[in-house]
Amino acid sequence: MDEKEFAGRLAALRNKKGVSARDMSLSIGQNPGYINNIESGKAMPSMGIFFFICDYLNITPRDFFDTDAGSPETICDLVSDLKKLDDNRLSLVSALVKELVK
């Protein structure tokens, strides 16, 4: 993922969350134009700020880079819940998902 793709992914995830760039910037403790500067290609976040961005979006860094996931926050929540299931229930959910994607 290059800087342009990074900026686009950030904008898409932020828009999906329904928050303005300004509000997101302030929520992660940055100046009001910080996210806008990233999305316009003028800046890139430090690794620490990137982790704050992911926390704010309720996703993991891995989810951020998984551009095939249209709803990474929902998928992340689902995986978290799946990890709590015993083997029998996990098999049932797996069979249901396989049937749904047919």
Side-chain angles (χ1 to χ4, degrees):
M1 178 178 286
D2 64 21
E3 291 178 7
K4 186 175 180 180
E5 292 169 320
F6 185 95
R9 178 70 169 162
L10 176 57
L13 292 170
R14 179 183 57 74
N15 286 325
K16 188 165 188 79
K17 189 170 178 80
V19 66
S20 71
R22 182 182 190 284
D23 288 345
M24 184 174 175
S25 296
L26 295 173
S27 293
I28 62 170
Q30 299 301 309
N31 69 60
Y34 185 76
I35 295 297
N36 188 47
N37 286 339
I38 295 170
E39 291 179 0
S40 66
K42 295 177 185 172
M44 285 293 286
S46 68
M47 189 63 94
I49 298 296
F50 174 67
F51 290 136
F52 284 134
I53 289 170
C54 290
D55 285 344
Y56 179 80
L57 296 170
N58 296 317
I59 61 172
T60 66
R62 180 180 179 178
D63 296 328
F64 184 93
F65 293 106
D66 183 3
T67 57
D68 291 334
S71 299
E73 183 176 0
T74 303
I75 292 171
C76 191
D77 289 344
L78 179 60
V79 169
S80 179
D81 289 341
L82 289 172
K83 289 178 180 179
K84 298 172 188 173
L85 298 177
D86 62 41
D87 288 344
N88 289 334
R89 289 187 173 154
L90 191 57
S91 293
L92 289 171
V93 171
S94 177
L96 176 62
V97 170
K98 286 177 182 176
E99 186 64 30
L100 290 172
V101 296
K102 281 186 183 179

